[in-house]
Amino acid sequence: MTHVPQWVIWIIAAAVFLLLVIVQVVVQAKKPVRKAIGGILTGIIALIAVNVSGIFTGVTLPVSLMTVGVSAVAGIPGVTMLLLMSLIMK
């Protein structure tokens, strides 16, 4: 596995954030930047909630760049998809 420079990760994160803001502008959200940040935070909080509740349920998701990225971009549906994929692949 090759090492990705940190600046590349930051550029990709900024591009994804800009894309999320553009989507909010296209759907004519009143505060597109706030909506984009809210969606990102909701997804990351959902990922954290799954891993914290994993203490009781035994179901957790690994925290990696991919899972955090999917959670941030796709929100709660993304975390749900990751959970389903994790359960199917076992």
Side-chain angles (χ1 to χ4, degrees):
M1 189 164 133
T2 60
H3 178 69
V4 180
Q6 188 172 7
W7 64 271
V8 172
I9 294 171
W10 282 107
I11 288 175
I12 291 171
V16 168
F17 177 72
L18 184 62
L19 181 64
L20 291 173
V21 171
I22 290 171
V23 166
Q24 293 298 325
V25 168
V26 168
V27 298
Q28 298 178 347
K30 292 190 183 211
K31 297 179 181 179
V33 174
R34 185 178 289 177
K35 293 280 261 185
I37 291 172
I40 290 169
L41 290 176
T42 302
I44 292 173
I45 289 170
L47 179 63
I48 292 169
V50 165
N51 285 328
V52 168
S53 67
I55 296 169
F56 305 107
T57 64
V59 179
T60 60
L61 290 171
V63 177
S64 67
L65 191 58
M66 185 198 72
T67 57
V68 171
V70 169
S71 300
V73 172
I76 294 174
V79 174
T80 304
M81 179 197 63
L82 287 169
L83 275 170
L84 289 174
M85 288 176 57
S86 173
L87 293 173
I88 289 172
M89 297 297 173
K90 283 188 176 182

